[in-house]
Amino acid sequence: MEPYLQPSKTHRTIGWILSGLVILFLLFDGIGKLVQPDEVIKATVELGYPESVLTSLGVVLLISTLLYAFPKTSLTGAVLLTAYLGGAVATHVRLEQPWFSHTLFPVYVGIVLWAGLLLRRPALKNQFF
């Protein structure tokens, strides 16, 4: 890798902190969908989804999050998580929920997700910007 594409230690550290926060949050969410406590079932049904989709959503979320967590597959994971988060935005738009607290929350997660990845892997900036 060329020297100017190497992340500084500070950028790499901040990138891993941001990525770690996203990873922990999404792992918690994905595990909740697999364990299915009453609160998760209730929230899913309130969003208009049947209880039967929880396991599938949990598996997709966990696989995508794990792909994001590992450097060699982090770009694939980021793309898959972006698609997943887009579905969450669409759900909140469909339910006409408040914009800044509900509808845009998945967008906030996506921004942190991509910021963390780009700080960890600055060479990706050349592919997007």
Side-chain angles (χ1 to χ4, degrees):
M1 198 180 269
E2 298 178 36
Y4 63 90
L5 296 179
Q6 289 288 344
S8 71
K9 185 176 180 179
T10 302
H11 285 173
R12 192 172 40 249
T13 300
I14 293 170
W16 274 111
I17 290 170
L18 293 175
S19 294
L21 291 171
V22 170
I23 290 165
L24 289 174
F25 174 75
L26 295 176
L27 286 175
F28 180 77
D29 188 27
I31 291 168
K33 287 174 176 28
L34 294 180
V35 174
Q36 300 181 13
D38 291 337
E39 297 83 15
V40 172
I41 294 170
K42 181 181 176 210
T44 302
V45 172
E46 286 175 358
L47 291 172
Y49 293 101
E51 182 180 338
S52 61
V53 303
L54 275 171
T55 300
S56 298
L57 288 175
V59 168
V60 168
L61 182 54
L62 288 174
I63 289 171
S64 300
T65 301
L66 290 173
L67 287 170
Y68 175 71
F70 292 100
K72 287 188 178 187
T73 57
S74 59
L75 181 59
T76 301
V79 170
L80 293 173
L81 287 170
T82 301
Y84 183 91
L85 293 169
V89 170
T91 296
H92 293 296
V93 168
R94 181 179 54 83
L95 295 174
E96 298 179 351
Q97 293 187 325
W99 274 86
F100 294 104
S101 60
H102 291 71
T103 303
L104 291 179
F105 184 77
V107 174
Y108 307 148
V109 173
I111 290 169
V112 175
L113 178 149
W114 280 98
L117 183 61
L118 291 173
L119 285 169
R120 291 190 284 146
R121 297 184 54 192
L124 291 176
K125 289 180 201 173
N126 294 338
Q127 295 176 359
F128 297 109
F129 304 106

